[in-house]
Amino acid sequence: MVIKQLTNPLSPEHQIEIRGIYRSLIDERVFFDEFPRTPAWIRWRYLDDDVTTSMASIQFGDSPTLSIHREAFDYPNPVLLIGLIHHEMLHLFHGADEGHGAMFRTSERSWIPYHHYRREKKRFFRMINELAVGERKYSYRCSNCQQVLHRSTPLSPDSSCLKCCKVFNKGKWCETYTLIRVGRSTP
């Protein structure tokens, strides 16, 4: 059996930090009583450096892999990192099929620091997007929802907003949601 090498593994310092957070969540939340006491059963890694739309993610499998945005470890408010780990552990508890369904949302909202975490999560999301803008050269705005997208390479002139196409056109391309180039981002 060939074991695939883990890309972007956590630094030893961050692994130690994760262990402490994991154990405190195991002690704090009844949901996690069935999980092993140590976090070694989960593979821990950083999200890829170019990811700006996600703060953490979980991949299910024989050995689940939990990925966390590198900047979350340096964020000044620790509730953010704790909340990201809590969120992904809830995904493990509820399973892949639940997603962000009603049971998941109820479980997450019952966590005492949830509202504080949610506020910090919004701030962190803005921060990582502002950092990413400096690395992106091209900016586009959706003609429908006005969302601004930043890219390092130019898009095709017939590119459309994926979000609007999914919501309003069953995921099919539509010229109504064309992305309009609004200029080059400043590095």
Side-chain angles (χ1 to χ4, degrees):
M1 180 172 134
V2 176
I3 297 176
K4 186 177 176 185
Q5 177 97 12
L6 184 66
T7 59
N8 288 333
L10 297 181
S11 70
E13 296 82 18
H14 291 163
Q15 289 176 10
I16 291 167
E17 191 173 356
I18 290 291
R19 266 189 222 117
I21 293 169
Y22 176 89
R23 286 189 181 126
S24 69
L25 288 171
I26 293 289
D27 292 341
E28 178 185 337
R29 301 290 288 184
V30 174
F31 298 117
F32 305 139
D33 283 347
E34 67 183 47
F35 290 165
R37 182 85 180 122
T38 63
W41 66 284
I42 301 172
R43 294 169 44 142
W44 300 84
R45 65 181 293 274
Y46 297 112
L47 283 172
D48 292 336
D49 290 335
D50 60 346
V51 173
T52 59
T53 57
S54 179
M55 293 166 260
S57 70
I58 190 81
Q59 291 176 331
F60 293 89
D62 293 337
S63 180
T65 302
L66 199 152
S67 304
I68 301 173
H69 198 288
R70 189 179 304 270
E71 297 292 328
F73 289 94
D74 297 327
Y75 192 75
N77 193 328
V79 77
L80 174 79
L81 183 60
I82 296 165
L84 291 174
I85 294 168
H86 177 261
H87 179 94
E88 299 307 328
M89 286 175 64
L90 281 174
H91 280 302
L92 284 172
F93 173 75
H94 287 289
D97 293 337
E98 175 63 16
H100 292 115
M103 287 191 316
F104 178 90
R105 288 191 312 273
T106 300
S107 300
E108 186 169 44
R109 289 177 183 148
S110 70
W111 185 49
I112 294 169
Y114 171 73
H115 294 288
H116 185 61
Y117 157 68
R118 195 168 152 203
R119 186 175 51 249
E120 292 304 318
K121 185 174 142 182
K122 287 178 183 177
R123 289 180 181 154
F124 181 70
F125 188 73
R126 279 193 305 270
M127 182 192 88
I128 61 175
N129 277 297
E130 287 171 7
L131 290 172
V133 168
E135 299 169 5
R136 308 294 193 230
K137 295 178 183 176
Y138 301 92
S139 298
Y140 298 87
R141 181 181 307 275
C142 173
S143 55
N144 185 54
C145 71
Q146 304 304 311
Q147 177 182 0
V148 177
L149 305 169
H150 304 284
R151 298 289 181 263
S152 55
T153 57
L155 295 176
S156 165
D158 61 346
S159 296
S160 289
C161 177
L162 179 62
K163 179 178 137 188
C164 288
C165 287
K166 282 183 177 180
V167 171
F168 302 113
N169 203 35
K170 299 178 183 173
K172 296 179 183 170
W173 179 89
C174 180
E175 66 184 21
T176 305
Y177 314 117
T178 301
L179 294 172
I180 301 165
R181 186 164 171 198
V182 292
R184 288 178 72 94
S185 300
T186 53

